[in-house]
Amino acid sequence: MNGPGNRDYHRSVRPRCRVKPPLAAPLFQWVWEEGMGAGTVLKTIQTQSLKAGMYVVKLHGPWLQHPFWRTRFVVDQDDVDTLLASPVDRVDIDTDRGGDVDAAGNEDAHGPMPCADDAALVLAAGLPPKSGGAQAHAGMGDELARARLICDDGRALVEAMFGELRMGRAIVLDGARDLAARIDASVSRNPLALVSLARLKTADDYTYLHSVAVAGLMSAVARDLALPEQQRERAAIAGLLHDMGKAHVPLAILNKPGKLLDEEMALMRDHPAAGERLLRDAGLEDPDVLHVVRHHHERMDGNGYPDRLAAEDLPVLTRICAVCDVYDAITSNRPYKAGWDPAESLRRMASWQGHFDPLALKSLVRVLGIYPVGSLVRLASDLLAVVVAPGDHPLAPPRVRIFFSARSRSHVFRRDVDLGASSDRIVGIESAHVWGFRDLEKLWMP
């Protein structure tokens, strides 16, 4: 099988040049837009007639020139004010899903209010509740300090568990449960700090820190999907334990820089089943976690391994792990390949038909952003920048740190720019490898 579960697959699709700008719009539309049902009532109105509570389905004009990265949403007053100050002069509204205007262009007080589906869509897009009761996230810098400790402790714990298993000893899971709780707490304070930091791992650290990264990603996606608290706890522990079966794969195979032989690949593909056996022997009885461990390399089209399960046999945590596992794998430095750019990775994952649950993948994009922290981007000004933080508004472009001129091929004075309040904009993704940039994390980490 040639796919994300095959280490040689990543070589065959490694990007060799920067991504062309048009890729940004399709990914965004894939993440945010909802299908329009038959009989939908649409109306084009002047932006001046837009009122809070209306459901916008289209902003007229090129998508890169309007102030939002999403084109279908219930507008609040802040959205209305932003649109009034923008070049957008007309919008299309769905009067079945939001407020209407009367013949004189005034708000129809008797028009339909946003329905339950609209509220779910707003929450799914990552917007705060309209009541304003959303808990504020901790600052990126503050949480990164805590996340460093979690990553250090996590690496040590996972390495110790691997060592015990390699020597044929049973492992004690109490430490893993405590670490999973710390990971989930960090994600609750700031969903980007730990997952951004855990992505930065050397090839030698990959096997151990990968488990920490997947635990953080799974916890963040579980929260984004509003899973019950018990399921969120299981998501973190499942991510931490999902690759325990690799303890029975020789290090020479795990760290081999070249193509694996058929018998070596067979050993690699046995690690999910081996992990389930090892964790059962250690006393783990949670069926959801055990399912994740055994089946995180299954695919929605039934072409995964070890059991080629169909989509209906894959519960939500297993679907989430399949997405998070691949994302961290392809964005990390490995013995046999350099990690891909985070934004490029999301675009490629969206193009792999049949691999992932679309809802889980869309949730991951909402958590990370279309341009995740650490992405190298080219601006319309021909300046290169690294994404340092998401925008202030969930629909806004990110904040970036400019450091290089592509035109003069020279470094420039570093400065931070909020693209949501700037005339500059992202026009494409760049390859740090092609440009010869190393240690880009030093640019975005506080």
Side-chain angles (χ1 to χ4, degrees), residues 54-126:
M54 292 182 176
Y55 189 91
V56 171
V57 298
K58 181 178 180 181
L59 306 176
H60 287 266
W63 79 275
L64 283 171
Q65 294 182 6
H66 68 64
F68 296 106
W69 281 18
R70 180 178 169 219
T71 57
R72 295 178 181 176
F73 56 105
V74 180
V75 294
D76 59 20
Q77 190 57 49
D78 288 341
D79 299 331
V80 172
D81 294 341
T82 300
L83 280 167
L84 289 174
S86 78
V88 177
D89 60 352
R90 291 173 300 136
V91 300
D92 289 354
I93 61 172
D94 180 352
T95 58
D96 281 345
R97 304 183 72 181
D100 197 357
V101 293
D102 59 24
N106 299 314
E107 180 181 5
D108 180 3
H110 302 290
M113 294 299 292
C115 63
D117 288 343
D118 296 328
L121 180 62
V122 171
L123 290 174

Side-chain angles (χ1 to χ4, degrees), residues 4-5 10 210 321-331 349 352 356:
H10 305 306
H210 172 65
C321 188
V323 170
C324 298
D325 177 57
V326 170
Y327 173 78
D328 187 68
I330 63 179
T331 56
M349 289 174 68
W352 293 341
F356 309 113

Side-chain angles (χ1 to χ4, degrees), residues 18-69:
R18 74 185 182 90
V19 177
K20 300 301 181 184
L23 282 180
L27 177 66
F28 174 78
Q29 292 165 355
W30 174 83
V31 173
W32 297 116
E33 291 189 356
E34 296 288 321
M36 305 300 294
T40 297
V41 180
L42 302 183
K43 183 180 293 186
T44 300
I45 64 173
Q46 297 295 313
T47 304
Q48 290 85 347
S49 299
L50 189 65
K51 303 293 182 182
M54 292 182 176
Y55 189 91
V56 171
V57 298
K58 181 178 180 181
L59 306 176
H60 287 266
W63 79 275
L64 283 171
Q65 294 182 6
H66 68 64
F68 296 106
W69 281 18

Side-chain angles (χ1 to χ4, degrees), residues 320-400:
I320 291 172
C321 188
V323 170
C324 298
D325 177 57
V326 170
Y327 173 78
D328 187 68
I330 63 179
T331 56
S332 301
N333 291 324
R334 310 286 292 279
Y336 55 91
K337 77 170 187 72
W340 294 350
D341 177 89
E344 167 65 2
S345 296
L346 293 175
R347 281 153 180 74
R348 289 184 176 268
M349 289 174 68
S351 72
W352 293 341
Q353 299 298 317
H355 282 78
F356 309 113
D357 175 9
L359 293 180
L361 182 52
K362 290 177 182 181
S363 176
L364 180 67
V365 177
R366 285 194 297 269
V367 168
L368 298 173
I370 294 175
Y371 298 101
V373 171
S375 298
L376 178 64
V377 296
R378 180 189 288 253
L379 305 182
S381 58
D382 253 356
L383 295 170
L384 301 188
V386 173
V387 175
V388 296
D392 289 332
H393 190 284
L395 305 179
R399 299 181 184 184
V400 300

Side-chain angles (χ1 to χ4, degrees), residues 1-11 265 269 305 336:
M1 182 191 69
N2 189 28
N6 184 338
R7 55 190 277 155
D8 297 312
Y9 178 84
H10 305 306
R11 284 196 185 88
M265 181 60 74
R269 289 194 174 180
Y305 66 91
Y336 55 91

